[in-house]
């Protein structure tokens, strides 16, 4: 899952980012509104945590711009206690939820989980499943019929992307975009290395699931 944090209080922004990263999210963080809008318009994120009072452009205007451009990424607004009008306005402009500062970590994470959960979908937030192959968040592991193997963070994030998009070919560019970000200098052969680690781990737990290479495009789970 890839999140965008737009918050100009650097300490808060960095603390938020740290908490989210520790919870397996890949996170881009920006400190002003213009950059926030630029990033958000890419449509690459699974969720956006958006402050309201920002230099450059405020959160409400960012939100309006996004919805006008038909970018429907779920948005969690961060508001100060005094900004009741902003909350109402924000929800009316297409925010999905809001959180009042200061907040506790547990609530933030619960709201982010709710935000990124597909509508009406009944899910176990700790587990993703592909035909019996389980990807577990709390232990950062892959599991097949009682056999467990630990994953590194990047392995976990790649597997999460593949399992969340079943029956699709996941292009290599998309994997880079989602996990490392646009401006990274990660190359395709870095991804190939992680994929080869994952293939070995699938063998270790005897899972009858393969990561198929679609030549010139990317990967899919079969
Ligand atoms: Ca602010």
């Amino acid at each position: 899952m890839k999140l965008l944090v737009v918050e100009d209080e650097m300490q808060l922004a960095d603390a938020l980012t740290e908490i989210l990263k520790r919870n397996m999210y890949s996170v881009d963080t920006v400190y002003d509104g213009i950059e926030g809008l630029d990033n958000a318009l890419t449509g690459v994120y699974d969720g956006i945590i958006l402050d309201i009072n920002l230099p450059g452009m405020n959160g409400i205007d960012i939100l309006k711009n996004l919805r006008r451009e038909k970018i429907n990424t779920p948005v969690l607004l961060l508001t100060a206690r005094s900004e009741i009008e902003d909350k109402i306005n924000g929800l009316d402009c297409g925010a999905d939820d809001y959180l009042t500062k200061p907040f506790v970590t547990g609530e933030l994470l619960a709201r982010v989980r709710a935000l990124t959960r597909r509508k009406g979908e009944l899910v176990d937030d700790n587990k993703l499943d592909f035909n019996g192959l389980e990807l577990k968040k709390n232990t950062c592991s892959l599991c097949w019929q009682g056999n467990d193997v630990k994953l590194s963070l990047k392995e976990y994030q790649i597997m999460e992307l593949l399992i969340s998009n079943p029956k699709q070919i996941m292009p290599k560019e998309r994997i880079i975009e989602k996990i490392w970000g646009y401006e990274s200098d990660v190359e395709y052969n870095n991804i190939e290395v992680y994929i080869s680690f994952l293939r070995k781990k699938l063998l270790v737990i005897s899972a009858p699931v393969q990561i198929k290479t679609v030549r010139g495009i990317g990967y899919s789970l079969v």
Side-chain angles (χ1 to χ4, degrees), residues 19-34:
I19 290 164
L20 292 167
K21 283 187 172 165
R22 252 188 273 133
N23 284 273
M24 307 299 195
Y25 294 99
S26 91
V27 188
D28 288 344
T29 311
V30 296
Y31 308 107
D32 80 90
I34 305 286

Side-chain angles (χ1 to χ4, degrees), residues 63-168:
L63 189 55
K64 283 184 187 164
N65 269 286
L66 281 182
R67 298 308 186 231
R68 199 183 304 133
E69 296 297 322
K70 305 277 184 276
I71 306 277
N72 295 317
T73 312
V75 168
L76 174 66
L77 280 180
L78 294 182
T79 68
R81 223 166 262 291
S82 56
E83 296 166 334
I84 303 277
E85 281 302 312
D86 283 342
K87 285 175 197 167
I88 297 168
N89 198 6
L91 291 170
D92 284 343
C93 291
D96 298 83
D97 197 4
Y98 65 82
L99 187 58
T100 305
K101 292 189 262 187
F103 46 80
V104 293
T105 306
E107 184 177 13
L108 168 80
L109 291 172
R111 286 187 187 269
V112 171
R113 283 196 298 273
L115 191 72
T116 52
R117 196 179 292 150
R118 268 165 259 160
K119 272 203 181 75
E121 193 183 13
L122 203 61
V123 289
D124 178 347
D125 284 315
N126 183 44
K127 201 165 74 184
L128 281 172
D129 180 285
F130 180 83
N131 299 338
L133 174 71
E134 291 175 353
L135 180 66
K136 293 178 177 172
K137 192 177 197 169
N138 60 351
T139 50
C140 196
S141 62
L142 263 181
C143 181
W144 173 260
Q145 294 183 341
N147 299 332
D148 266 292
V149 66
K150 283 264 178 206
L151 301 182
S152 71
L153 179 60
K154 291 286 182 256
E155 291 166 359
Y156 176 92
Q157 289 172 331
I158 291 173
M159 207 59 202
E160 181 186 45
L161 205 52
L162 292 173
I163 294 184
S164 309
N165 297 276
K167 300 182 196 128
Q168 284 180 36

Side-chain angles (χ1 to χ4, degrees), residues 7-9 51-55 101:
E7 165 65 72
D8 62 319
E9 288 164 53
D51 185 27
I52 292 187
N53 290 319
L54 289 165
K101 292 189 262 187

